[in-house]
Amino acid sequence: MNGTRKPVHLAVYDTLADWETGHTTAHLARAGYTVRTVAPTIAPVTSIGGLRVQPDLALADLRPEDSSLLVLPGADLWDTGDDLAPFARTARAFLAAGVPVAAICGATAGLAREGLLDDRRHTSAVSFYLAATGYAGGERYVEADAVTDRGLITAGPTEPVAFAREILGLLGVYEGEVLDAWYRLFHDSDPEAYAVLEKAGAA
């Protein structure tokens, strides 16, 4: 199955927020996607939780046509300088090529600075966090767990499950009742949701 789908690319960088993409990558991998990590260079990076990650490829070698999706996690570095700005520029290239992008937490601020949220519905941690970037999209901010608009998914740092739900739905991994049950199981610990997933072969 892996050979029939383009990989999903997960951005990794120092101070990466470990908890934000675990549901996403685990369930994409279970669905047959290869998850490849992409970093500023191929040098190892260290997450905020102290995990050491050896990247699969450098950002300069990433092309939209080789990918199903670019996932941008949060990191302290999004708010302490321009080190991660190249990832926001890559997100622009992905969206222009019709390849989706998913950004959570601090990555949403990076996309705001790049102008990618000016004309799309979006969310983040709180509205004033993005307002501090000086971006022009404040009127399109939505108070929601996660938002998808024209190939761009955004979420705040406390919503890794909703973030994953949007990604799994966008890529067609789960749909309809099954997608809703997946969310209720992992977000709400709803035991009835497990039966729905088991019946669908998704448990």
Side-chain angles (χ1 to χ4, degrees):
M1 184 180 292
N2 286 353
T4 65
R5 291 171 167 164
K6 294 178 181 178
V8 168
H9 288 91
L10 171 67
V12 295
Y13 18 70
D14 286 331
T15 71
L16 160 75
D18 316 74
W19 66 91
E20 293 175 346
T21 59
H23 288 87
T24 293
T25 56
H27 289 274
L28 287 176
R30 290 186 68 182
Y33 282 92
T34 297
V35 178
R36 301 195 71 202
T37 52
V38 55
T41 70
I42 58 170
V45 299
T46 303
S47 76
I48 199 168
L51 299 180
R52 189 170 181 270
V53 180
Q54 177 63 60
D56 292 313
L57 74 161
L59 184 61
D61 297 324
L62 177 62
R63 302 185 307 169
E65 58 266 34
D66 296 331
S67 185
S68 291
L69 170 75
L70 175 62
V71 181
L72 299 173
D76 292 345
L77 289 180
W78 283 111
D79 297 317
T80 57
D82 296 327
D83 290 353
L84 300 185
F87 285 91
R89 291 193 291 271
T90 298
R92 176 180 291 281
F94 266 61
L95 293 169
V99 182
V101 173
I104 185 169
C105 189
T108 61
L111 298 192
R113 294 184 193 98
E114 182 65 20
L116 294 175
L117 305 185
D118 288 350
D119 60 355
R120 286 181 172 86
R121 294 172 65 253
H122 59 275
T123 194
S124 184
V126 287
S127 59
F128 57 80
Y129 170 63
L130 292 186
T133 69
Y135 83 131
E139 293 184 355
R140 293 174 176 81
Y141 187 91
V142 181
E143 293 288 353
D145 293 342
V147 174
T148 301
D149 189 353
R150 289 179 292 136
L152 178 61
I153 295 168
T154 51
T158 61
E159 298 298 337
V161 181
F163 184 60
R165 177 195 62 202
E166 297 298 302
I167 290 170
L168 297 173
L170 184 68
L171 294 181
V173 173
Y174 302 132
E175 298 175 331
E177 181 185 41
V178 176
L179 181 62
D180 178 65
W182 182 90
Y183 179 74
R184 287 188 289 113
L185 178 63
F186 288 98
H187 189 267
D188 303 325
S189 301
D190 182 348
E192 294 181 3
Y194 183 81
V196 176
L197 294 176
E198 190 172 39
K199 183 178 179 181

